[in-house]
Short mmCIF file of all heavy atoms in Angstrom, two decimals:
data_model
loop_
_atom_site.label_atom_id
_atom_site.label_comp_id
_atom_site.label_asym_id
_atom_site.label_seq_id
_atom_site.Cartn_x
_atom_site.Cartn_y
_atom_site.Cartn_z
N ILE I 301 4.18 0.98 -1.46
CA ILE I 301 4.04 2.30 -1.78
C ILE I 301 3.86 3.10 -0.54
O ILE I 301 4.45 4.18 -0.29
CB ILE I 301 2.98 2.60 -2.80
CG1 ILE I 301 3.11 1.88 -4.08
CG2 ILE I 301 2.85 4.07 -3.24
CD1 ILE I 301 4.44 2.07 -4.87
N GLY I 302 2.97 2.73 0.27
CA GLY I 302 2.64 3.47 1.51
C GLY I 302 1.31 3.03 2.18
O GLY I 302 0.90 1.84 1.95
N ASP I 303 0.72 3.82 2.88
CA ASP I 303 -0.53 3.53 3.55
C ASP I 303 -1.73 4.45 3.20
O ASP I 303 -2.74 4.55 3.85
CB ASP I 303 -0.42 3.56 5.08
CG ASP I 303 -0.09 4.86 5.64
OD1 ASP I 303 0.15 5.79 4.92
OD2 ASP I 303 -0.09 5.08 6.88
N GLY I 304 -1.58 5.06 2.02
CA GLY I 304 -2.56 6.13 1.58
C GLY I 304 -3.73 5.32 0.81
O GLY I 304 -4.05 4.35 1.05
N LEU I 305 -4.37 6.19 -0.05
CA LEU I 305 -5.41 5.74 -0.87
C LEU I 305 -4.93 5.41 -2.30
O LEU I 305 -4.40 6.19 -2.97
CB LEU I 305 -6.50 6.77 -0.98
CG LEU I 305 -7.63 6.60 -1.98
CD1 LEU I 305 -8.60 5.31 -1.49
CD2 LEU I 305 -8.52 7.80 -2.03
N TYR I 306 -5.04 4.05 -2.62
CA TYR I 306 -4.50 3.70 -3.78
C TYR I 306 -5.41 2.80 -4.72
O TYR I 306 -6.41 2.18 -4.12
CB TYR I 306 -3.26 2.75 -3.61
CG TYR I 306 -2.23 3.38 -2.79
CD1 TYR I 306 -2.04 2.94 -1.47
CD2 TYR I 306 -1.51 4.48 -3.20
CE1 TYR I 306 -0.98 3.48 -0.67
CE2 TYR I 306 -0.59 5.11 -2.42
CZ TYR I 306 -0.29 4.67 -1.19
OH TYR I 306 0.62 5.24 -0.30
N GLY I 307 -5.26 2.77 -6.02
CA GLY I 307 -5.89 1.73 -6.78
C GLY I 307 -4.87 0.79 -7.49
O GLY I 307 -4.02 1.30 -8.18
N VAL I 308 -4.98 -0.45 -7.15
CA VAL I 308 -4.03 -1.46 -7.62
C VAL I 308 -4.54 -2.07 -8.87
O VAL I 308 -5.71 -2.75 -8.79
CB VAL I 308 -3.57 -2.42 -6.54
CG1 VAL I 308 -2.48 -3.36 -7.13
CG2 VAL I 308 -3.16 -1.71 -5.33
N ASP I 309 -3.94 -1.95 -10.08
CA ASP I 309 -4.49 -2.63 -11.29
C ASP I 309 -3.71 -3.99 -11.44
O ASP I 309 -2.52 -4.09 -11.34
CB ASP I 309 -4.18 -1.73 -12.53
CG ASP I 309 -5.03 -0.52 -12.49
OD1 ASP I 309 -6.06 -0.39 -11.69
OD2 ASP I 309 -4.69 0.50 -13.31
N LEU I 310 -4.44 -5.06 -11.69
CA LEU I 310 -3.93 -6.45 -11.71
C LEU I 310 -4.57 -7.07 -12.91
O LEU I 310 -5.73 -6.74 -13.28
CB LEU I 310 -4.08 -7.22 -10.57
CG LEU I 310 -3.73 -6.35 -9.14
CD1 LEU I 310 -4.98 -6.01 -8.48
CD2 LEU I 310 -2.95 -7.40 -8.35
N LYS I 311 -3.86 -8.03 -13.53
CA LYS I 311 -4.44 -8.91 -14.49
C LYS I 311 -4.28 -10.48 -13.79
O LYS I 311 -3.29 -10.67 -13.38
CB LYS I 311 -3.70 -8.82 -15.74
CG LYS I 311 -3.90 -7.62 -16.54
CD LYS I 311 -3.12 -7.66 -17.86
CE LYS I 311 -3.31 -6.39 -18.68
NZ LYS I 311 -4.57 -6.24 -19.31
N MET I 312 -5.34 -11.21 -14.12
CA MET I 312 -5.54 -12.64 -13.73
C MET I 312 -5.48 -13.43 -15.02
O MET I 312 -6.44 -13.41 -15.70
CB MET I 312 -6.50 -12.97 -12.70
CG MET I 312 -6.37 -14.44 -12.23
SD MET I 312 -7.59 -14.62 -10.71
CE MET I 312 -6.90 -16.24 -10.26
N ILE I 313 -4.37 -14.13 -15.35
CA ILE I 313 -4.27 -14.89 -16.53
C ILE I 313 -3.76 -16.29 -16.17
O ILE I 313 -2.69 -16.47 -15.47
CB ILE I 313 -3.41 -14.20 -17.66
CG1 ILE I 313 -3.98 -12.91 -17.96
CG2 ILE I 313 -3.24 -15.07 -18.81
CD1 ILE I 313 -2.93 -12.06 -18.72
N ASP I 314 -4.62 -17.30 -16.58
CA ASP I 314 -4.22 -18.75 -16.19
C ASP I 314 -3.79 -18.99 -14.81
O ASP I 314 -2.93 -19.66 -14.44
CB ASP I 314 -3.07 -19.17 -17.16
CG ASP I 314 -3.44 -19.11 -18.70
OD1 ASP I 314 -4.63 -19.22 -19.06
OD2 ASP I 314 -2.54 -18.80 -19.52
N GLY I 315 -4.58 -18.38 -13.92
CA GLY I 315 -4.34 -18.53 -12.48
C GLY I 315 -3.30 -17.75 -12.00
O GLY I 315 -3.14 -17.78 -10.69
N LYS I 316 -2.53 -17.00 -12.73
CA LYS I 316 -1.51 -16.24 -12.18
C LYS I 316 -1.92 -14.73 -12.26
O LYS I 316 -2.70 -14.26 -13.04
CB LYS I 316 -0.24 -16.33 -13.01
CG LYS I 316 0.44 -17.64 -13.21
CD LYS I 316 1.64 -17.68 -14.06
CE LYS I 316 2.41 -18.99 -14.03
NZ LYS I 316 3.54 -19.07 -14.85
N VAL I 317 -1.50 -13.91 -11.17
CA VAL I 317 -1.87 -12.57 -10.95
C VAL I 317 -0.60 -11.73 -11.22
O VAL I 317 0.37 -11.85 -10.49
CB VAL I 317 -2.49 -12.35 -9.49
CG1 VAL I 317 -2.84 -10.90 -9.34
CG2 VAL I 317 -3.67 -13.20 -9.34
N TYR I 318 -0.83 -10.67 -12.10
CA TYR I 318 0.31 -9.93 -12.49
C TYR I 318 -0.19 -8.44 -11.93
O TYR I 318 -1.28 -7.86 -12.19
CB TYR I 318 0.49 -9.85 -14.06
CG TYR I 318 0.77 -11.18 -14.67
CD1 TYR I 318 -0.10 -12.08 -14.95
CD2 TYR I 318 2.06 -11.39 -14.98
CE1 TYR I 318 0.16 -13.29 -15.55
CE2 TYR I 318 2.54 -12.61 -15.57
CZ TYR I 318 1.51 -13.50 -15.92
OH TYR I 318 1.96 -14.78 -16.41
N VAL I 319 0.81 -7.76 -11.34
CA VAL I 319 0.53 -6.31 -10.98
C VAL I 319 0.94 -5.47 -12.18
O VAL I 319 2.10 -5.49 -12.58
CB VAL I 319 1.39 -6.00 -9.74
CG1 VAL I 319 1.06 -4.51 -9.27
CG2 VAL I 319 1.20 -6.80 -8.45
N VAL I 320 -0.03 -4.77 -12.49
CA VAL I 320 0.24 -3.89 -13.70
C VAL I 320 0.84 -2.46 -13.07
O VAL I 320 1.94 -2.08 -13.54
CB VAL I 320 -1.07 -3.54 -14.49
CG1 VAL I 320 -0.78 -2.57 -15.61
CG2 VAL I 320 -1.57 -4.77 -14.95
N GLU I 321 0.18 -1.91 -12.16
CA GLU I 321 0.58 -0.79 -11.49
C GLU I 321 -0.08 -0.46 -10.25
O GLU I 321 -1.26 -0.84 -10.08
CB GLU I 321 0.71 0.45 -12.48
CG GLU I 321 -0.62 0.85 -12.94
CD GLU I 321 -0.63 1.95 -14.10
OE1 GLU I 321 0.50 2.32 -14.41
OE2 GLU I 321 -1.68 2.27 -14.51
N VAL I 322 0.38 0.49 -9.35
CA VAL I 322 -0.31 1.02 -8.29
C VAL I 322 -0.42 2.46 -8.54
O VAL I 322 0.46 3.22 -8.89
CB VAL I 322 0.50 0.82 -6.97
CG1 VAL I 322 -0.35 1.55 -5.82
CG2 VAL I 322 0.76 -0.65 -6.59
N ASN I 323 -1.69 2.90 -8.52
CA ASN I 323 -2.10 4.28 -8.75
C ASN I 323 -2.41 5.11 -7.51
O ASN I 323 -3.19 4.64 -6.77
CB ASN I 323 -3.34 4.35 -9.71
CG ASN I 323 -2.93 3.58 -11.09
OD1 ASN I 323 -2.43 4.10 -11.96
ND2 ASN I 323 -3.54 2.43 -11.11
N ASP I 324 -1.84 6.29 -7.25
CA ASP I 324 -2.36 7.11 -6.33
C ASP I 324 -3.65 7.81 -6.96
O ASP I 324 -3.71 7.80 -8.20
CB ASP I 324 -1.36 8.20 -5.91
CG ASP I 324 -0.99 9.12 -7.01
OD1 ASP I 324 -0.71 8.67 -8.18
OD2 ASP I 324 -1.05 10.47 -6.80
N ASN I 325 -4.37 8.40 -6.10
CA ASN I 325 -5.53 9.24 -6.56
C ASN I 325 -6.48 8.35 -7.48
O ASN I 325 -6.76 8.86 -8.59
CB ASN I 325 -4.90 10.39 -7.40
CG ASN I 325 -5.98 11.68 -7.42
OD1 ASN I 325 -6.55 11.96 -8.34
ND2 ASN I 325 -5.90 12.38 -6.31
N PRO I 326 -6.90 7.22 -7.06
CA PRO I 326 -7.73 6.42 -7.87
C PRO I 326 -9.10 7.02 -8.10
O PRO I 326 -9.63 7.84 -7.22
CB PRO I 326 -7.85 5.11 -7.15
CG PRO I 326 -7.82 5.55 -5.67
CD PRO I 326 -6.65 6.62 -5.69
N ASN I 327 -9.79 6.62 -9.27
CA ASN I 327 -11.11 7.06 -9.47
C ASN I 327 -12.10 6.71 -8.43
O ASN I 327 -12.18 5.46 -7.99
CB ASN I 327 -11.63 6.52 -10.77
CG ASN I 327 -11.02 7.37 -12.00
OD1 ASN I 327 -9.91 7.26 -12.36
ND2 ASN I 327 -11.94 8.13 -12.61
N ILE I 328 -12.87 7.66 -7.89
CA ILE I 328 -14.08 7.18 -7.11
C ILE I 328 -15.20 8.06 -7.61
O ILE I 328 -15.21 9.36 -7.41
CB ILE I 328 -13.75 7.58 -5.54
CG1 ILE I 328 -12.55 6.75 -5.16
CG2 ILE I 328 -15.02 7.37 -4.83
CD1 ILE I 328 -12.16 6.94 -3.64
N ASP I 329 -16.03 7.55 -8.41
CA ASP I 329 -17.19 8.11 -9.04
C ASP I 329 -18.49 7.49 -8.50
O ASP I 329 -18.68 6.39 -8.19
CB ASP I 329 -17.01 7.96 -10.47
CG ASP I 329 -16.01 8.83 -11.12
OD1 ASP I 329 -16.00 10.03 -10.81
OD2 ASP I 329 -15.29 8.46 -12.05
N ASP I 330 -19.40 8.39 -8.63
CA ASP I 330 -20.86 8.07 -8.16
C ASP I 330 -21.36 7.02 -9.20
O ASP I 330 -21.27 7.08 -10.36
CB ASP I 330 -21.73 9.36 -8.38
CG ASP I 330 -23.20 9.07 -7.99
OD1 ASP I 330 -23.52 8.51 -6.85
OD2 ASP I 330 -24.00 9.22 -8.94
N GLY I 331 -21.87 5.94 -8.59
CA GLY I 331 -22.51 4.86 -9.38
C GLY I 331 -21.48 3.84 -9.91
O GLY I 331 -21.81 2.83 -10.49
N ILE I 332 -20.11 4.08 -9.63
CA ILE I 332 -19.14 3.04 -10.22
C ILE I 332 -18.47 2.47 -8.99
O ILE I 332 -18.83 1.43 -8.44
CB ILE I 332 -18.18 3.72 -11.10
CG1 ILE I 332 -19.00 4.44 -12.29
CG2 ILE I 332 -17.22 2.79 -11.70
CD1 ILE I 332 -18.19 5.00 -13.40
N GLU I 333 -17.36 3.19 -8.55
CA GLU I 333 -16.59 2.58 -7.49
C GLU I 333 -17.37 2.50 -6.14
O GLU I 333 -17.18 1.76 -5.31
CB GLU I 333 -15.38 3.47 -7.00
CG GLU I 333 -14.27 3.18 -8.13
CD GLU I 333 -14.53 4.04 -9.46
OE1 GLU I 333 -15.55 4.81 -9.41
OE2 GLU I 333 -13.74 3.70 -10.50
N ASP I 334 -18.51 3.22 -5.97
CA ASP I 334 -19.40 3.19 -4.77
C ASP I 334 -20.52 2.36 -4.95
O ASP I 334 -21.45 2.43 -4.05
CB ASP I 334 -19.71 4.66 -4.37
CG ASP I 334 -20.65 5.33 -5.23
OD1 ASP I 334 -21.02 4.68 -6.36
OD2 ASP I 334 -21.04 6.43 -5.07
#
């Protein structure tokens, strides 16, 4: 996608990793992501 700020959503099932999507503008909230 690029070199910006992203949140990549993935699922790990039976040892395999699936990319769900790449999000720009990911959540960064007090007490959660930090």
Side-chain angles (χ1 to χ4, degrees):
I301 303 299
D303 63 353
L305 174 62
Y306 307 112
V308 185
D309 292 344
L310 314 100
K311 290 179 181 288
M312 188 171 185
I313 301 173
D314 298 330
K316 294 181 179 180
V317 177
Y318 299 81
V319 179
V320 177
E321 62 186 356
V322 178
N323 301 278
D324 68 306
N325 208 258
N327 279 73
I328 295 176
D329 281 314
D330 175 64
I332 302 179
E333 286 78 13
D334 68 359

